[in-house]
Amino acid sequence: MASTSATTETKGRRGSLILEPPNMSLRRMVFVGKTGAGKSSSGNTTLGRKVFRAASSCSSVTKESWKETGEVAGREIIVVDTPGLFDTDVSEEYLKQEISKCVNMTAPGPHAIILVIQLGPFTEEEILSVEKIRALFGEESDKHTIVLFTRGDELTCSIEEYVNKADEDLKNILRRCGGRYHVYNNKGMENRNQVLELMVKVDDMVAANGDRFYTSDAYQGVELLLKAEEEKLRREYEKKLQDKERELESRFAEEKRRLQERVETLTESEQEKEKKIKELERLNQKNLCELIEYKRYYESRLREVRQEAELTRIHESTLIEIINKLHSLQM
């Protein structure tokens, strides 16, 4: 994504502008990397629960971007798990759909891009996947990226020693990312210290970036689109709720009026009148429950408008620009 130098309320370096001050108690994190690197397992470890379906081999289990929220280390975090966006056998339509979802789910921009790399030989395929990730997010995203090594249980030395002995291609990636890296043992989800250490590194990186999350022209455009779509859906649901309330209240009032008239004209015994009055009370209770349920339903839809808005595809020209960059990269 091309970075931007447009003026906003808060100014930052090119490619790191924000539309509004970030919520310091919130962290948006997107896990990216080659298929089978351990993105889903790392998302699960971070959240402390199995919410993303992880692969048992190099096959891609995650077929679409998925977002989950949770509380970690005293802050709310949003974790976005991405599919094999950079696999060679995916269609252009699939790419457009998943790139849109990835951007939408992390808008107005991620605080941390977690580049997941499996311990072991750093192959040409992995080098290409890293380049494609940079094509997707833009070169300025390096300042917001942390390399996360997986399969930490297979380490026979410290992670620092492993990095020092790494080949030049991997060291170059690490230099681009400001030397930031971490290691996970995803077989030890109960080891929360490894997660706390990652969150500290994320916080330090965000602070070094002036307490700003990563954003770009595409992200800012998407955020404006999402807010507009949210507002549209909000107005739609509020109108539906108001219309339903008026409809139910009108019907309830008419039913109550008719029943009251019947009670008032009764010539039966007091016992019969008491029976009709109880029937009226039951009707009122039923009507009230129906109204409450409709309110609950539409209010829940109002709370989910952001999620619905995230299904909106980003601007076609932005998608074409990103896909052209991806196509230009060759093994």
Side-chain angles (χ1 to χ4, degrees):
M1 297 170 195
S3 58
T4 181
S5 57
T7 302
T8 59
E9 289 186 5
T10 303
K11 294 184 179 180
R13 295 188 61 186
R14 193 169 178 265
S16 295
L17 299 178
I18 60 174
L19 294 174
E20 57 187 12
N23 180 347
M24 295 310 294
S25 65
L26 174 69
R27 289 288 181 263
R28 287 182 296 274
M29 303 167 65
V30 56
F31 286 70
V32 296
K34 184 177 75 72
T35 292
K39 300 185 295 293
S40 299
S41 294
S42 297
N44 290 339
T45 296
T46 302
L47 288 168
R49 63 185 196 275
K50 292 183 179 180
V51 290
F52 303 113
R53 187 180 172 196
S56 57
S57 66
C58 63
S59 63
S60 177
V61 168
T62 301
K63 297 299 184 184
E64 59 180 354
S65 296
W66 195 259
K67 180 172 77 172
E68 292 287 344
T69 61
E71 185 176 327
V72 177
R75 61 177 59 77
E76 180 186 3
I77 67 168
I78 295 172
V79 173
V80 175
D81 183 24
T82 58
L85 274 177
F86 312 117
D87 295 351
T88 55
D89 59 345
V90 297
S91 68
E92 186 162 308
E93 182 59 30
Y94 171 85
L95 271 178
K96 287 181 178 181
Q97 172 185 311
E98 290 309 313
I99 288 171
S100 288
K101 289 178 68 176
C102 178
V103 173
N104 289 347
M105 287 179 175
T106 52
H111 293 91
I113 299 167
I114 309 298
L115 173 55
V116 182
I117 297 175
Q118 203 174 85
L119 289 172
F122 194 58
T123 65
E124 287 293 322
E125 183 184 4
E126 286 171 310
I127 294 171
L128 179 62
S129 70
V130 171
E131 291 305 316
K132 287 184 173 181
I133 289 164
R134 293 183 89 214
L136 171 58
F137 288 100
E139 292 183 8
E140 285 293 319
S141 64
D142 289 345
K143 296 188 300 181
H144 302 261
T145 300
I146 295 177
V147 173
L148 177 64
F149 294 104
T150 56
R151 294 194 173 181
D153 53 303
E154 298 179 7
L155 265 179
T156 57
C157 60
S158 70
I159 187 62
E160 290 76 19
E161 290 174 305
Y162 176 85
V163 167
N164 286 335
K165 295 175 183 177
D167 62 37
E168 196 57 34
D169 287 324
L170 179 53
K171 285 181 177 178
N172 184 46
I173 298 297
L174 290 168
R175 279 192 291 269
R176 284 183 185 174
C177 301
R180 292 179 295 273
Y181 62 87
H182 191 58
V183 63
Y184 261 5
N185 171 11
N186 286 319
K187 292 182 179 179
M189 186 186 292
E190 71 280 0
N191 176 7
R192 305 311 295 160
N193 192 54
Q194 61 181 339
V195 177
L196 294 175
E197 288 177 359
L198 175 63
M199 296 309 299
V200 168
K201 291 176 181 179
V202 168
D203 285 346
D204 288 346
M205 178 179 67
V206 172
N209 287 319
D211 293 330
R212 298 182 178 93
F213 50 81
Y214 172 73
T215 193
S216 64
D217 284 339
Y219 266 119
Q220 293 187 26
V222 162
E223 182 64 8
L224 292 173
L225 272 175
L226 286 177
K227 286 184 175 180
E229 188 66 18
E230 278 185 89
E231 185 56 33
K232 175 185 172 184
L233 288 169
R234 191 178 303 281
R235 288 196 302 268
E236 177 185 329
Y237 289 141
E238 284 176 347
K239 184 178 185 304
K240 284 184 177 180
L241 178 56
Q242 290 168 1
D243 289 346
K244 180 56 67 174
E245 284 179 341
R246 283 193 292 268
E247 174 195 330
L248 292 176
E249 286 172 357
S250 175
R251 174 157 57 85
F252 298 164
E254 179 62 19
E255 289 175 348
K256 181 178 178 181
R257 182 189 64 78
R258 289 177 181 175
L259 192 53
Q260 282 177 329
E261 285 180 355
R262 288 173 59 196
V263 170
E264 290 170 1
T265 58
L266 280 174
T267 58
E268 295 95 331
S269 65
E270 288 299 319
Q271 186 176 3
E272 284 296 316
K273 285 191 175 184
E274 186 67 26
K275 182 180 176 181
K276 293 296 183 182
I277 289 171
K278 286 183 178 179
E279 183 181 338
L280 177 61
E281 289 173 350
R282 285 194 296 272
L283 177 63
N284 286 341
Q285 187 62 35
K286 171 184 173 294
N287 291 344
L288 179 61
C289 288
E290 188 175 349
L291 181 58
I292 289 172
E293 174 55 23
Y294 271 101
K295 283 185 177 180
R296 183 208 62 77
Y297 171 74
Y298 282 115
E299 284 170 0
S300 69
R301 297 301 299 270
L302 282 171
R303 288 193 295 270
E304 294 167 1
V305 291
R306 177 73 181 200
Q307 187 175 343
E308 288 194 44
E310 285 173 357
L311 299 177
T312 306
R313 178 174 285 190
I314 64 177
H315 200 278
E316 190 72 15
S317 63
T318 301
L319 281 172
I320 292 172
E321 179 184 350
I322 294 170
I323 289 172
N324 286 341
K325 287 181 182 178
L326 295 178
H327 288 334
S328 70
L329 295 168
Q330 302 294 330
M331 286 291 289

